[in-house]
Amino acid sequence: MIHCILFLGLLIVAYFSDSQAENTISQYWEEHISLPNSPHWFVAKASPLSLDQLAVFMKLMEDDELASHLHLFCKQANVACSTNALVKKIMYDKNFPSIVPFRDQKRIYEGLPKETPLSIASQGGLPFFRESMVKEGNFISVPDLREPVSYKSFLPRPLASKIPFSFSRIDELKKFFGVVDNSNMDEYIQDTLKICEKSSIQCEQCTCATSAEDLIDFVVEKLGHHVGIWRTENVEGSYENVTIETVKLIYGNLSEPPVICHSQPFPFQVYFCHILQKVKVYAVDIQARKKVNHAIMTCHYDTSTWNPNHLAFKLLGYGPGLIEVCHWINKNGVVWTKTSLSS
């Protein structure tokens, strides 16, 4: 009876949740990041759950009864459970021989540096290239800049901290979100957990942020409160041969590496963030068939510690430390750079 009342309460407060959630994350942003306003894309990722809804779902979780209200939870929290998951099947273009099907991602991951997420290795087009290949008037084949899971929201930190984000508890995690064995989401969860757990052991400059607050905290810890934010604006040009228009260096301080955050496929928003030394950031206008895309490109100038079997070396030749390696930032990725006012 009590849970029935709580259930009805959730429906009543649902209408009022969005503005409250946005105000909460905007306030946290303003308290930690010295920018005039929190960007719209970041606020849009805030959990739509109100504080009242959060309290109800936390109670249901505590009583191990959330599964009975999974559909409502997934809908109101805007996360990808089995009842509302919209998982995109990656389309492969036969004209691009460098495409890596999902089933081969684990094999390729073995050739990547410790801090490289699968999202970089799993794209079609040309996932890695030389800086000299991106010059005005040049042609280049762009990989898929979309994300494999169509979701938007973080979970509130109090709730995210209760999620069994561990490979040793993957069965519990899958049960929590109603994920079916051997499904696309099952594979995404396994790979994301492996990357996050491996990086936590091997990489001091990495984190997997499972909440908006965790992401902000990591950026502030590494860069300070004054930061610049750079994102690819849209996915135009994915799987196309595009023309390079303008190329602008927007961050070239090799002694102050940026924080690069890659969205990881998971039931809710998770970012894998890392710092690699000697990185430059460029804004590139690429002319696709439909429109111009303002894309962000990062170039790594210290590849000396990368695995000799890295896919980039197989595509471009040479080996660790002999060349720079560049790649595009996906639509949901973000690069954070320190500004001159950082402290």
Side-chain angles (χ1 to χ4, degrees):
M1 180 66 181
I2 294 177
H3 287 148
C4 290
I5 296 174
L6 293 176
F7 180 83
L8 292 174
L10 286 170
L11 297 177
I12 294 173
V13 301
Y15 178 81
F16 302 99
S17 64
D18 287 349
S19 60
Q20 184 183 54
E22 291 182 3
N23 289 338
T24 299
I25 195 60
S26 294
Q27 180 179 352
Y28 197 86
W29 176 282
E30 292 171 1
E31 291 173 353
H32 294 81
I33 301 293
S34 296
L35 286 176
N37 298 296
S38 52
H40 173 73
W41 66 267
F42 190 81
V43 173
K45 291 180 180 297
S47 173
L49 295 176
S50 68
L51 295 178
D52 291 332
Q53 289 172 314
L54 173 60
V56 171
F57 286 130
M58 290 285 287
K59 176 61 176 175
L60 291 173
M61 177 186 281
E62 180 181 329
D63 295 341
D64 197 25
E65 296 191 14
L66 186 60
S68 301
H69 305 290
L70 183 64
H71 178 77
L72 181 64
F73 168 72
C74 295
K75 182 177 180 180
Q76 294 191 350
N78 191 30
V79 298
C81 302
S82 61
T83 52
N84 71 338
L86 298 175
V87 179
K88 168 180 71 68
K89 291 185 180 296
I90 302 294
M91 301 300 293
Y92 299 104
D93 190 328
K94 64 183 179 180
N95 296 317
F96 292 130
S98 62
I99 287 171
V100 183
F102 184 81
R103 63 180 179 273
D104 293 331
Q105 289 180 11
K106 296 181 181 66
R107 175 181 58 80
I108 287 180
Y109 179 65
E110 296 302 319
L112 299 177
K114 300 170 184 176
E115 303 85 3
T116 303
L118 286 176
S119 57
I120 294 299
S122 63
Q123 303 167 9
L126 193 61
F128 300 101
F129 45 89
R130 301 289 304 273
E131 182 184 12
S132 60
M133 299 168 66
V134 186
K135 301 294 183 183
E136 186 173 345
N138 283 6
F139 294 91
I140 192 170
S141 60
V142 176
D144 190 358
L145 301 179
R146 299 170 297 173
E147 295 296 328
V149 180
S150 57
Y151 56 85
K152 297 180 180 179
S153 299
F154 284 106
L155 287 178
R157 180 146 69 176
L159 184 56
S161 65
K162 300 294 184 181
I163 300 295
F165 194 78
S166 167
F167 200 86
S168 64
R169 300 175 64 187
I170 190 170
D171 290 339
E172 183 181 348
L173 175 66
K174 287 162 56 177
K175 180 181 178 182
F176 184 93
F177 288 104
V179 175
V180 179
D181 289 345
N182 301 317
S183 63
N184 284 346
M185 184 58 77
D186 184 10
E187 292 189 56
Y188 292 146
I189 288 174
Q190 290 189 47
D191 288 322
T192 293
L193 290 178
K194 287 178 182 178
I195 291 169
C196 291
E197 292 190 353
K198 194 172 184 178
S199 67
S200 67
I201 298 172
Q202 300 178 339
C203 177
E204 296 180 357
Q205 301 279 54
C206 308
T207 192
C208 277
T210 59
S211 71
E213 294 90 343
D214 287 349
L215 179 59
I216 292 174
D217 289 350
F218 181 77
V219 170
V220 170
E221 176 190 348
K222 300 302 179 182
L223 301 181
H225 299 281
H226 301 271
V227 296
I229 306 171
W230 314 98
R231 300 177 65 244
T232 294
E233 294 183 356
N234 58 62
V235 296
E236 296 296 336
S238 292
Y239 285 125
E240 291 186 32
N241 291 318
V242 304
T243 303
I244 303 298
E245 293 194 343
T246 59
V247 181
K248 180 181 179 181
L249 176 66
I250 55 179
Y251 188 78
N253 187 348
L254 294 180
S255 64
E256 296 283 359
V259 171
I260 303 175
C261 295
H262 306 277
S263 179
Q264 292 298 115
F266 209 71
F268 56 93
Q269 179 66 73
V270 173
Y271 273 103
F272 173 83
C273 299
H274 61 156
I275 292 178
L276 294 177
Q277 299 300 315
K278 296 186 177 180
V279 175
K280 290 184 180 180
V281 185
Y282 294 84
V284 184
D285 287 336
I286 55 176
Q287 177 65 60
R289 285 177 295 179
K290 295 182 180 179
K291 62 186 295 186
V292 173
N293 184 12
H294 185 72
I296 299 300
M297 174 182 83
T298 59
C299 291
H300 302 264
Y301 293 86
D302 182 5
T303 60
S304 59
T305 61
W306 291 24
N307 192 311
N309 294 320
H310 192 300
L311 179 60
F313 302 137
K314 294 180 179 180
L315 292 173
L316 305 173
Y318 301 94
L322 299 178
I323 60 171
E324 84 293 339
V325 173
C326 303
H327 63 80
W328 303 107
I329 296 297
N330 282 19
K331 175 66 165 62
N332 206 24
V334 59
V335 180
W336 310 74
T337 57
K338 181 179 289 190
T339 68
S340 58
L341 295 177
S342 295
S343 59

